[in-house]
Amino acid sequence: MFIPSYLVNEHFDDRYFDVVSALDEAQQIYFRNNNLIDRIAAGIEAKTPLIIGETGFGAGRVVISLMEFLQESGLKNISIEYNTVELYPMDPDRMFHLLSEFKDRAGDEIDTLVNAYRLIDTTRSGWHSMKIQRSFGTLDINLWIGEALEMVNALENSCDVWFLDGHSPKKNPSIWRPELLMEIGKKTKVYGTCSTFTVAGAVKRALIDAGFTLKKLPGCGGKNEVLHGTTC
Ligand SMILES: C[S@@+](CC[C@H](N)C(=O)[O-])C[C@H]1O[C@@H](n2cnc3c(N)ncnc32)[C@H](O)[C@@H]1O
């Protein structure tokens, strides 16, 4: 398959996402498979934020897709803490260029995220905050510039849900290494969940060792089945 060079992360020789179905893919794999709407609605009722962790912020395509998903849910007073990590933060202009593939569908969401991203100093490692207020509520993004394991170790609160989106295990084994997935398991609440696009055997084994019970659920685009894990 031909992959345009602007979509490729030169550090891993792998694309950030698939332009054809990237927003729908995120909605299926990360949001619907994790039953996000019901869990967010329960959080609104209980007045507690849903805490999400993501490995691989990249161009923020999953965040854009999440904003669209929340907008379409019709829910109000949503509160989400979104913890994400990026070892090689990209220039905001490049981010805008990559995301502009989706501008007809999510133009406002792209402008909101890229404008917030322009305000942070990505040359400084560690936590950066991007607070996004929309009609659905608040999306509090904590972006950790640095290595994923450092971010997981630094997390104060365990996550309800993990989106594991760090390039293919063949191209980037570092973000799937057992030591990291073990720490992710420890920073997941009881009855917490995780999702990823890969069904690679080594990833499955490491997630099971980290305490997740796995099953395959429907994927999207080029992937018929994807992985879903739960800690209960
Ligand atoms: C497939 S891309 C993520 C796509 C992203 N979720 C999006 O929606 O645009 C994976 C990202 O993980 C980052 N990454 C890879 N290994 C990492 C590591 N060990 N620690 C932190 N970030 C890492 C890459 O630089 C890349 O931006």
Side-chain angles (χ1 to χ4, degrees):
M1 186 194 2
F2 171 72
I3 300 172
S5 59
Y6 69 89
L7 263 185
V8 173
N9 183 342
E10 58 281 11
H11 299 283
F12 300 101
D13 186 30
D14 197 20
R15 65 185 167 182
Y16 282 99
F17 47 73
D18 166 11
V19 279
V20 181
S21 52
L23 298 189
D24 294 329
E25 186 190 81
Q27 299 207 353
Q28 179 63 39
I29 301 176
Y30 299 123
F31 314 153
R32 277 194 280 280
N33 284 358
N34 279 304
N35 200 17
L36 229 52
I37 292 295
D38 287 354
R39 294 168 79 183
I40 291 169
I44 296 170
E45 184 81 22
K47 294 190 169 32
T48 49
L50 185 85
I51 305 181
I52 296 176
E54 178 191 45
T55 50
F57 175 69
R61 168 273 316 214
V62 174
V63 176
I64 295 300
S65 186
L66 180 61
M67 285 160 70
E68 183 195 41
F69 185 75
L70 299 176
Q71 199 70 42
E72 288 175 357
S73 74
L75 293 172
K76 302 287 175 204
N77 302 315
I78 291 174
S79 174
I80 292 182
E81 177 187 312
Y82 194 98
N83 300 290
T84 183
V85 60
E86 181 52 56
L87 188 55
Y88 301 112
M90 71 174 68
D91 176 87
D93 290 337
R94 182 174 185 205
M95 178 191 276
F96 186 72
H97 178 58
L98 259 70
L99 293 175
S100 62
E101 292 285 343
F102 314 116
K103 68 176 185 307
D104 292 344
R105 175 166 160 180
D108 282 356
E109 288 83 355
I110 294 166
D111 288 345
T112 302
L113 181 64
V114 176
N115 289 342
Y117 186 73
R118 284 188 196 282
L119 297 178
I120 68 174
D121 174 7
T122 55
T123 62
R124 183 175 62 75
S125 54
W127 287 118
H128 299 264
S129 168
M130 294 183 277
K131 204 177 182 78
I132 289 178
Q133 303 273 10
R134 308 273 295 177
S135 59
F136 58 70
T138 306
L139 182 57
D140 238 324
I141 303 175
N142 297 310
L143 170 62
W144 178 271
I145 306 282
E147 157 59 39
L149 183 57
E150 290 170 9
M151 172 262 204
V152 177
N153 285 336
L155 270 181
E156 284 179 4
N157 299 318
S158 290
C159 294
D160 294 286
V161 185
W162 280 95
F163 304 156
L164 307 176
D165 193 26
H167 290 303
S168 84
K170 274 196 186 132
K171 298 276 186 167
N172 181 23
S174 83
I175 209 160
W176 305 103
R177 63 195 192 278
E179 178 196 10
L180 171 59
L181 297 183
M182 185 63 81
E183 290 308 308
I184 285 177
K186 288 182 191 160
K187 288 286 171 72
T188 306
K189 292 182 186 176
V190 179
Y191 298 111
T193 60
C194 70
S195 280
T196 179
F197 61 88
T198 179
V199 291
V203 172
K204 283 199 267 187
R205 286 188 290 280
L207 284 172
I208 290 168
D209 288 348
F212 290 99
T213 301
L214 298 180
K215 62 182 171 189
K216 287 184 182 165
L217 286 180
C220 178
K223 294 181 175 57
N224 291 334
E225 288 186 313
V226 295
L227 272 191
H228 178 264
T230 172
T231 53
C232 58

